[in-house]
Amino acid sequence: DGAYTYVTKGGDPEELIGEIGKLQDVLNLRLENQLLKEKVFKMDAMLESNNPAFQTTLSIAKKAAASDANILVLGESGSGKEVIARYIHQNSPRDKRQFMDLNCHAIAETVLESELFGHEKGSFTGAMNKRIGRIEAADQGTLFLDEIGDLPLEMQVRLLRVLQSKEFERVGGTETLRSDFRLIAATNRDLGEAVHAGRFRADLYYRINVFPIHVPPLRER
């Protein structure tokens, strides 16, 4: 009748806890699958356009997907930069691995380091368990950093080091870890002007701007 499992009265409580954990995993997978279907549906809708400029953007994105170079997606807010990033990932040799995304503007600076690099248990107040960061989770896949222009300068230094060596440490950890990820960054800011104003590191800008892709605004599509 739809029951996932059953337990007998007076049975081992650990067995019940184990079954609840399995059920939670099943529900998480269902939710993840549903969210993925919704994202794919939205992406397909966003990619429908007869606009020549946008068709050129898609053509460039597909060529960029075949390479392993870092990509910088440029465009106004709401123009579909994340959609282009996912399109690149799905057309790349890394499409069977993780697409990990992080909005650098939406995350507080105090938790941004942990979100990117992860942390060890007890490394700071509230760190009850070890956490794997987006960089580590994106191994063999794609790391998408949205609004990278809002990344604090200190974090820019750490990200540059990771891009150069593919090595990093979790917060509070001493073990050097490796992650072979492909970076796609996006911004609606003029990073060239930000470099000139001292808000963005020039060396990081040149490192992420290997393959720039401009996304035309929706009003032109």
Side-chain angles (χ1 to χ4, degrees):
D1 292 331
Y4 170 74
T5 187
Y6 69 91
V7 293
T8 55
K9 183 178 180 180
D12 184 2
E14 291 298 327
E15 180 184 350
L16 173 60
I17 293 173
E19 291 298 326
I20 292 173
K22 292 177 186 177
L23 178 58
Q24 185 63 58
D25 290 340
V26 170
L27 295 176
N28 286 340
L29 285 173
R30 287 180 183 175
L31 178 59
E32 184 179 333
N33 187 48
Q34 179 61 32
L35 292 174
L36 183 60
K37 287 180 179 178
E38 291 176 1
K39 282 188 175 181
V40 169
F41 176 78
K42 290 178 182 178
M43 188 179 82
D44 289 343
M46 287 282 288
L47 294 176
E48 291 179 5
S49 174
N50 294 321
N51 176 258
F54 190 62
Q55 290 299 320
T56 299
T57 296
L58 289 180
S59 176
I60 294 172
K62 199 160 190 177
K63 291 178 182 177
S67 76
D68 214 27
N70 295 331
I71 296 174
L72 180 60
V73 184
L74 304 164
E76 296 180 4
S77 294
S79 59
K81 296 187 290 296
E82 181 179 352
V83 174
I84 294 297
R86 290 184 179 275
Y87 177 79
I88 292 170
H89 173 73
Q90 291 182 1
N91 285 276
S92 76
R94 298 173 179 261
D95 65 318
K96 299 296 189 295
R97 304 306 292 256
Q98 289 279 7
F99 178 91
M100 299 301 301
D101 60 324
L102 180 67
N103 189 315
C104 301
H105 177 73
I107 304 295
E109 187 173 344
T110 51
V111 273
L112 186 57
E113 184 178 26
S114 176
E115 288 290 333
L116 272 176
F117 301 100
H119 63 252
E120 297 290 348
K121 180 179 178 180
S123 56
F124 54 84
T125 303
M128 305 300 293
N129 297 291
K130 179 178 76 174
R131 179 190 178 96
I132 293 176
R134 308 298 173 92
I135 290 175
E136 187 173 353
D139 186 31
Q140 304 296 318
T142 300
L143 175 65
F144 174 57
L145 296 182
D146 199 7
E147 302 303 344
I148 196 170
D150 293 327
L151 201 65
L153 283 170
E154 182 179 346
M155 296 303 299
Q156 292 178 30
V157 175
R158 293 199 60 183
L159 178 60
L160 178 63
R161 182 201 159 199
V162 177
L163 291 176
Q164 290 171 337
S165 65
K166 299 295 184 180
E167 296 181 344
F168 66 98
E169 295 85 31
R170 298 191 192 106
V171 177
T174 56
E175 180 185 2
T176 298
L177 305 171
R178 287 189 59 83
S179 179
D180 176 24
F181 62 91
R182 196 267 190 87
L183 177 69
I184 302 177
T187 183
N188 60 0
R189 298 179 181 272
D190 183 342
L191 289 187
E193 189 275 331
V195 169
H196 183 73
R199 296 190 303 271
F200 202 86
R201 292 182 61 93
D203 44 8
L204 178 59
Y205 174 60
Y206 294 123
R207 177 72 63 169
I208 65 176
N209 194 30
V210 178
F211 210 129
I213 297 177
H214 294 265
V215 183
L218 287 174
R219 63 180 174 276
E220 296 179 7
R221 287 146 52 190

